[in-house]
Amino acid sequence: MYWQKERMNFGSSRSLMADEGCSLCGKPPVARLIDPERRLCAEHFVEDCAARVKAGIMEAGLLAPGDRIAVGLSGGKDSTLLLILLHGIVSSCTGVHLIAITVDEGIAGYREETVAAAVDLTTRLGIEHRIVSFSDLFGADLDVLLSDREAEACTVCGVLRRRALAVAAAEMGATHIATGHNLDDEAQSVLMNVLRGDLSKLLLDTSEGLPDCFIPRIKPLSVLSEKEITTYLLVSGAYTDLPECPYAGGALRGEVRGMLADLEFRYPGTRWRLIRSRDQVRNLLAEEVSQGVLQRCVRCGEVSSGELCSVCRVLGR
Ligand SMILES: [Zn+2]
Ligand SMILES: [Zn+2]
């Protein structure tokens, strides 16, 4: 039902006309893209998505010999597509290695299935895979860590998941960490940081990294919307229906998500414009922001934006 409704409006506020064929080959279209305006059949849509992701990666100067890209693989649809696309892109680059890291937060009734999906995928693609758990790294499962503060679930989980990924990536000698954040996630984060008045978080650019203490993070899927990712997985047969995280999204993200979906529908390109605004502000303030913001946490020595890093703040309560 979700799919049918979304598909009719995909890419713009106009519906996909059944009697119009793919702009490139005339076959039945699965998507209408707005910039430049065209309808694409399954085959050309999949090609277009891969080309856009690859262009973004090349722009970031990646794929040089010696690069070891660690993909944060939750097993959900975003990271699944990220690994599939990167696998295709990297296989034609000599000296570039792809590894996958799955963080097991310890969420009963949810993680087991996605971890199994992650293992399945990496085995099928022949990619080195490591699973790290909250209980190993932080001494307890997320379910236990959240026992008296479920309302903070996504904050606590997000902070610890980022750290777990960074620790595992460093152990595996990764030069870059790639995560499956999509266009919708990025636009939502921009708006949420503005609504929270969190300018430092809005301006923090983790893609550059710092020497010796910070593995640069890339988000190759941020050129694709959630709908495009679902469409890609559906038409390529890689879509699997997996359970949603029982802690779900926080209240603010839920509202921002609904609001942005509505704005995007009525004013196509809203998400891109939000992200572009953030990038323009970042560039304007680049000098002030780039130096001096990050330091070492006094308790654990990890990279931090304050005296105590977010992990020590979250765990130290
Ligand atoms: Zn076509
Ligand atoms: Zn710390």
Side-chain angles (χ1 to χ4, degrees):
M1 310 117 299
Y2 158 83
W3 168 236
Q4 286 299 334
K5 197 174 92 206
E6 297 282 290
R7 176 169 163 167
M8 291 310 288
N9 303 315
F10 183 39
S12 80
S13 54
R14 277 186 283 161
S15 64
L16 206 58
M17 304 297 285
D19 54 344
E20 292 176 278
C22 170
S23 305
L24 297 172
C25 71
K27 283 186 198 157
V30 295
R32 178 199 285 275
L33 308 187
I34 49 169
D35 189 23
E37 164 103 25
R38 65 225 143 110
R39 298 168 307 279
L40 295 178
C41 67
E43 190 188 329
H44 284 119
F45 173 72
V46 159
E47 263 179 28
D48 181 87
C49 289
R52 269 188 284 158
V53 169
K54 184 169 184 178
I57 291 174
M58 301 306 279
E59 213 172 282
L62 250 86
L63 306 182
D67 278 350
R68 269 175 82 78
I69 305 172
V71 174
L73 179 67
S74 72
K77 59 183 167 58
D78 295 335
S79 60
T80 294
L81 181 58
L82 176 61
L83 194 69
I84 292 173
L85 287 178
L86 282 179
H87 178 67
I89 292 167
V90 160
S91 60
S92 62
C93 305
T94 37
V96 182
H97 288 275
L98 200 58
I99 50 187
I101 298 166
T102 299
V103 178
D104 182 354
E105 304 93 346
I107 304 174
Y110 160 67
R111 244 319 156 218
E112 297 87 344
E113 257 186 86
T114 46
V115 168
V119 170
D120 218 52
L121 182 66
T122 49
T123 308
R124 200 153 42 82
L125 298 177
I127 291 172
E128 186 185 346
H129 184 209
R130 182 174 299 185
I131 302 171
V132 286
S133 71
F134 276 13
S135 59
D136 286 346
L137 275 174
F138 309 116
D141 285 344
L142 185 66
D143 288 338
V144 173
L145 291 169
L146 288 178
S147 52
D148 59 340
R149 45 171 170 163
E150 254 190 47
E152 298 168 67
C154 295
T155 308
V156 173
C157 183
V159 163
L160 300 183
R161 203 150 21 98
R162 270 195 301 281
R163 171 66 58 83
L165 196 55
V167 168
E171 281 174 8
M172 295 175 86
T175 56
H176 296 82
I177 294 175
T179 55
H181 294 91
N182 61 43
L183 179 65
D184 298 73
D185 298 330
E186 283 290 275
Q188 287 160 17
S189 296
V190 171
L191 195 50
M192 283 170 69
N193 285 329
V194 170
L195 293 174
R196 285 177 175 146
D198 197 341
L199 195 66
S200 57
K201 205 165 167 196
L202 179 75
L203 297 179
L204 182 66
D205 184 0
T206 55
S207 67
E208 296 290 322
L210 289 175
D212 305 328
C213 57
F214 202 66
I215 301 175
R217 286 167 178 268
I218 51 166
K219 298 172 181 172
L221 282 199
S222 60
V223 295
L224 301 181
S225 72
E226 212 175 293
K227 275 182 211 166
E228 287 175 315
I229 290 168
T230 307
T231 306
Y232 188 114
L233 291 171
L234 280 169
V235 302
S236 65
Y239 187 88
T240 27
D241 215 359
L242 288 167
E244 289 276 322
C245 176
Y247 295 111
L252 180 60
R253 186 170 287 270
E255 280 191 48
V256 163
R257 185 192 170 102
M259 197 165 98
L260 272 180
D262 180 50
L263 285 171
E264 180 68 39
F265 180 73
R266 292 189 287 139
Y267 309 102
T270 294
R271 291 166 302 192
W272 278 114
R273 288 190 290 275
L274 256 180
I275 294 169
R276 204 168 59 218
S277 306
R278 177 203 61 192
D279 292 346
Q280 283 169 349
V281 177
R282 263 186 194 170
N283 291 339
L284 280 174
L285 299 175
E287 276 164 36
E288 275 109 301
V289 176
S290 66
Q291 294 304 320
V293 173
L294 295 180
Q295 51 185 288
R296 293 278 187 182
C297 168
V298 294
R299 193 173 293 168
C300 73
E302 281 292 332
V303 178
S304 169
S305 58
E307 209 165 84
L308 273 186
C309 75
S310 46
V311 170
C312 290
R313 278 199 301 268
V314 153
L315 292 178
R317 243 186 54 148

